[in-house]
Amino acid sequence: MSKEIEDHRLFNQSGNEPFADILAQHVSRRDVMRGGLSVAAASMLSFGGAAQALASNGSQKTPLTLAFEAVRGSHTDAVVVPDGYVAQVLVPWGTPLNQNDSWQPDQPMTPERQAASVGMHHDGMAGFALDADNASRRFVLALNNEYIDQTALWAPQGGPTNADEGERPAEESRTEINAHGVTIVEVEKDANGQWAHVPGSRYNRRFTSATEMDLAGPVAGSDYVKTRFSPAGTQTRGTNNNCGNGVTPWGTYIACEENWPNVFVNTGERFQDDARIGIPTERGRYAWETSAGDASEENDEFARFNITPRGERAEDDYRNEARTFGYQVEIDPYSDARAVKRTALGRFRHEGCWLGKLEAGQPIVYYSGHDARNEYVYKYVSDAAWDPADANRPGEAYDRLSIGHKYLDNGTLYVARFHADGSGEWLPLTPEAETRDGRTLAAALGLEENDLAGVIINTCDAADLLGATPMDRPEWASVDPASGEVYLTLTNNSQRIAEDSQPTYTNDGERLEQVGVGYDLAPTNAANPRANNEAGHIIRWRESRLPDAFRWEIFVFGAAEDDADNPSGLNEMNQFASPDGLWFDERGEGQGILWIQTDNGYEGVAEYTNDQLLAVVPRALDDISGTGPVVNSSNQQQLKRFAVGPNGCEVTGIFATPDKTALFINIQHPSNWPADGNELVQDATVAASGDVRPRASTVVIQKRDGGPVGV
């Protein structure tokens, strides 16, 4: 989640033991985390976790060495990369997807034009090969467009109309709705090594906050999601605030709905789940609901954002519209099939959808964090065992979403509890699960005995009731496909208070057992090094052979170089804070690079550098002794800053081509970049000479000699 749209309200008012408390009691468990586990090799599918899980093996070699000089911090309107590297802009906001369209620096945006152009504020992304032979030169890029910059979007007219009060013009609301969602676009590299999109490609298309989508899994067809638009409760319109992403072994893309609650409003009495998740009560973030009643409105396109009950039954209004959001959205990038929201993976503010270790004959596993202070980490385990015959066949036309139905519509959702001794357990979110006070989860939530759909709708309250561990804003995760180790960024948490303080709760709650409430302020103890955790940290865990169990440890703490609280011993060349994006870049033979991206608001680091991209080889750290985090003063020099973004930005989204010669990242919400307002493809390392209309963009980083990135 970008700090630009972070919701600082707290919705978890539960009394579960804060993760900060646990950190104070237990920092490192490397003795039980070492070693590798092999997985079966298979063919490349997509660029990211699914491909790596299929292609890796567990053999152990001499650790990789990062072969670049760390870059210094930067405060410029340009991307900074190491010597010997180049970086170019690719598919910035507004790039036309159709042939014969162009971009101008003062380009006015209309609903129609935005629906046929790359959306705003790039975030999670992945590449999908069109054929195995050319997978590193030509592929389909799937790209999240998380939210919008109204100032940049409406720059030609001097800004948005009635952004803070009054009725929004229908055409502006439609345009903003179409700037959100997901972009699918074909890209290719020319003979000179420069990348560009392919205008008019049959793969190019947009999913916006107005695109019709199917609901699937336990919630689909239930009374919880029946609306005036879909009385049967099987469809909805749009996907919103898609932050992190996922990929599947069968070749589909998963867009993760994160800060979706803020586009809705309920001015009446909220459902308990709407209160717990934080639906606004006065005005939506962009006030699209105020365009309702415009003469041009079609099929309640704006009215649906006001979920205040108005009719006699759910089918008469949009009281359930928000319940059709908060899911993992599966998209087939190869076809024009309708996207599907997979409700079995839970309903909350999904930061991502990270594929676990993939093994034939074993269930499919996905991890996801709820990106908010004092929220939780989840795991989905499919009922169906993975069949390698379902692996993606790049570029071929067949029904991939039916394979998604096989693995993603029937399974069990779990939430994590971390113990101070380095162990952890996964708690099943099922109607019959036992809460801490001995009730069934269904009874505690006020549901019918076997109401799995109700548990999913109330995912956050269900996690509270089972006693999950509240975390410091769980964001991106990534899995080492050889060892199965899972890495997770915990960005920050300013809502940790002193150990002798009493927790407070949202929505005027008084105790955990109340539904619709969550943590506001969560206490720690005197020994906890991360009260008011401004700099964040990264943890990792490995699943245990015991059922529903895992072992965990702290991987690295963020900090400024001169902080008294700097457990990882960071210095000028690797100091960072607020880790956000994360990717384990598998490099074969059981080895890989962990790439770390930041979305920093901590002044101690921000005064030195803009947001950044760092790299470390975890395998090179395994034999380092110490009692602190895995990255510590004895080995921190192996964590190196690889790139720095332009002023005002967040660095996010990451993957590489299969041959590892091109690394793709996203630059979100820059303040004055890219330099040339006319061009779609340009040098990302050039600073603007004056003011430009900022455009979020993908950036491609390559070695000048054409070799693999980083090594």
Side-chain angles (χ1 to χ4, degrees):
M1 167 175 62
S2 170
K3 61 179 176 287
E4 297 291 310
I5 57 168
E6 181 185 346
D7 192 331
H8 292 277
R9 297 174 296 162
L10 271 291
F11 305 108
N12 185 353
Q13 301 176 5
S14 71
N16 297 341
E17 185 178 15
F19 190 65
D21 289 348
I22 296 173
L23 292 189
Q25 304 171 56
H26 171 83
V27 176
S28 178
R29 299 291 298 181
R30 248 167 294 147
D31 55 329
V32 297
M33 291 284 292
R34 289 178 177 168
L37 299 174
S38 63
V39 295
S43 61
M44 183 278 299
L45 298 182
S46 56
F47 312 161
Q52 295 177 176
L54 288 167
S56 65
N57 65 71
S59 60
Q60 298 188 28
K61 303 288 184 180
T62 301
L64 294 173
T65 299
L66 297 177
F68 62 88
E69 291 296 323
V71 301
R72 295 188 178 278
S74 171
H75 285 127
T76 65
D77 287 322
V79 173
V80 177
V81 293
D83 290 341
Y85 285 82
V86 296
Q88 69 149 99
V89 171
L90 177 69
V91 294
W93 162 61
T95 298
L97 299 179
N98 300 327
Q99 289 181 317
N100 304 319
D101 285 342
S102 61
W103 164 265
Q104 304 296 327
D106 58 352
Q107 180 69 56
M109 272 296 174
T110 64
E112 296 76 19
R113 184 177 183 90
Q114 182 60 83
S117 302
V118 173
M120 289 195 103
H121 283 356
H122 304 29
D123 209 310
M125 61 177 172
F128 295 86
L130 292 171
D131 65 83
D133 293 338
N134 298 291
S136 294
R137 302 189 63 89
R138 173 177 173 262
F139 57 85
V140 175
L141 174 65
L143 171 71
N144 287 351
N145 302 117
E146 184 183 12
Y147 69 108
I148 61 173
D149 177 349
Q150 289 180 309
T151 301
L153 181 60
W154 301 115
Q157 67 181 42
T161 304
N162 296 338
D164 299 321
E165 59 182 4
E167 296 180 359
R168 298 293 313 284
E171 286 294 276
E172 289 190 22
S173 290
R174 287 193 187 96
T175 303
E176 293 175 2
I177 286 169
N178 289 342
H180 286 77
V182 177
T183 297
I184 308 294
V185 57
E186 183 181 349
V187 298
E188 63 180 1
K189 183 172 68 172
D190 66 19
N192 297 317
Q194 187 172 74
W195 291 83
H197 82 296
V198 181
S201 168
R202 67 185 181 91
Y203 299 105
N204 295 353
R205 63 172 176 154
R206 288 292 317 287
F207 294 85
T208 75
S209 293
T211 305
E212 292 187 10
M213 301 182 177
D214 290 335
L215 299 174
V219 174
S222 71
D223 288 344
Y224 295 104
V225 288
K226 292 179 178 178
T227 65
R228 184 172 172 178
F229 171 75
S230 180
T234 57
Q235 294 182 343
T236 188
R237 284 173 287 184
T239 184
N240 220 76
N241 292 98
N242 305 98
C243 190
N245 68 287
V247 291
T248 70
W250 49 94
T252 59
Y253 181 74
I254 298 178
C256 311
E257 297 181 325
E258 189 200 26
N259 279 320
W260 55 272
N262 297 331
V263 302
F264 296 101
V265 65
N266 186 336
T267 60
E269 184 176 353
R270 295 180 295 181
F271 293 131
Q272 64 189 38
D273 52 286
D274 289 342
R276 176 65 176 81
I277 205 69
I279 299 293
T281 57
E282 296 180 358
R283 187 179 175 94
R285 178 175 178 83
Y286 303 111
W288 296 333
E289 74 279 357
T290 66
S291 297
D294 185 271
S296 66
E297 183 179 20
E298 296 182 0
N299 201 15
D300 301 328
E301 60 181 307
F302 308 122
R304 67 191 178 100
F305 292 105
N306 187 334
I307 64 172
T308 307
R310 301 180 186 279
E312 293 185 3
R313 57 190 191 129
E315 293 88 335
D316 297 330
D317 55 34
Y318 291 94
R319 68 188 68 179
N320 287 332
E321 183 74 4
R323 287 173 164 176
T324 68
F325 283 74
Y327 302 110
Q328 308 285 24
V329 184
E330 187 179 16
I331 294 171
D332 183 354
Y334 297 104
S335 76
D336 60 359
R338 180 177 291 183
V340 181
K341 296 194 177 187
R342 302 295 185 185
T343 66
L345 282 77
R347 177 176 176 256
F348 48 93
R349 297 174 186 244
H350 288 275
E351 177 65 28
C353 193
W354 317 111
L355 179 66
K357 185 177 179 181
L358 191 65
E359 297 179 282
Q362 297 298 315
I364 292 284
V365 173
Y366 276 99
Y367 301 97
S368 185
H370 182 154
D371 183 9
R373 291 176 176 87
N374 304 317
E375 291 292 354
Y376 306 121
V377 177
Y378 296 88
K379 178 177 79 166
Y380 169 82
V381 180
S382 67
D383 287 347
W386 170 241
D387 182 354
D390 290 330
N392 185 31
R393 303 191 298 275
E396 292 187 26
Y398 60 96
D399 189 357
R400 291 175 175 82
L401 294 177
S402 66
I403 301 176
H405 165 71
K406 173 181 176 181
Y407 294 108
L408 299 181
D409 287 343
N410 296 282
T412 302
L413 183 67
Y414 297 84
V415 67
R417 181 189 290 160
F418 292 77
H419 296 297
D421 64 356
S423 66
E425 59 184 311
W426 294 106
L427 311 171
L429 297 176
T430 57
E432 67 275 12
E434 185 175 327
T435 65
R436 293 187 301 178
D437 60 4
R439 295 176 293 172
T440 66
L441 186 54
L445 290 169
L447 306 175
E448 295 296 325
E449 184 177 2
N450 297 311
D451 188 1
L452 179 58
V455 172
I456 295 296
I457 289 292
N458 293 277
T459 298
C460 303
D461 270 324
D464 291 340
L465 290 164
L466 290 183
T469 302
M471 309 292 277
D472 285 351
R473 284 189 56 200
E475 294 235 25
W476 288 51
S478 193
V479 178
D480 176 345
S483 69
E485 290 171 352
V486 185
Y487 296 81
L488 174 74
T489 55
L490 296 168
T491 294
N492 54 49
N493 190 351
S494 60
Q495 303 302 122
R496 294 293 187 195
I497 54 177
E499 63 170 328
D500 56 353
S501 302
Q502 292 297 314
T504 60
Y505 304 103
T506 59
N507 300 322
D508 298 322
E510 296 180 352
R511 63 187 191 280
L512 171 66
E513 289 73 20
Q514 293 176 273
V515 293
V517 302
Y519 266 123
D520 181 8
L521 300 177
T524 184
N525 56 59
N528 195 307
R530 288 296 185 179
N532 187 29
N533 183 8
E534 294 183 277
H537 55 284
I538 298 173
I539 63 170
R540 72 177 177 185
W541 68 84
R542 179 181 291 178
E543 299 292 346
S544 170
R545 291 183 176 87
L546 299 174
D548 303 331
F550 60 93
R551 306 291 301 186
W552 67 271
E553 65 184 340
I554 304 303
F555 185 71
V556 62
F557 286 99
E561 176 188 20
D562 56 0
D563 281 354
D565 178 17
N566 184 6
S568 290
L570 305 183
N571 61 29
E572 179 191 353
M573 303 307 291
N574 58 19
Q575 60 182 323
F576 74 91
S578 299
D580 192 329
L582 194 68
W583 182 49
F584 191 93
D585 178 5
E586 193 272 333
R587 294 297 179 103
E589 299 181 334
Q591 302 195 71
I593 301 170
L594 185 68
W595 298 96
I596 303 168
Q597 299 170 312
T598 69
D599 182 21
N600 180 41
Y602 173 48
E603 185 177 354
V605 174
E607 65 184 8
Y608 170 75
T609 186
N610 293 339
D611 278 312
Q612 57 188 296
L613 171 66
L614 304 103
V616 66
V617 177
R619 185 62 60 86
L621 306 172
D622 281 353
D623 294 328
I624 303 297
S625 62
T627 58
V630 177
V631 176
N632 57 62
S633 58
S634 71
N635 62 16
Q636 55 76 28
Q637 69 277 4
Q638 299 195 50
L639 173 67
K640 302 170 70 173
R641 184 179 301 112
F642 180 77
V644 180
N647 292 331
C649 85
E650 168 189 352
V651 181
T652 185
I654 184 168
F655 71 93
T657 51
D659 65 5
K660 309 300 181 181
T661 61
L663 183 70
F664 291 70
I665 63 172
N666 283 324
I667 299 297
Q668 188 185 94
H669 59 77
S671 59
N672 196 50
W673 177 91
D676 191 335
N678 290 286
E679 297 299 324
L680 300 177
V681 174
Q682 58 186 286
D683 189 339
T685 67
V686 174
S689 58
D691 293 336
V692 297
R693 189 180 184 183
R695 291 178 288 163
S697 174
T698 298
V699 169
V700 189
I701 302 174
Q702 301 176 100
K703 268 187 178 179
R704 292 187 183 276
D705 65 9
V709 172
V711 296

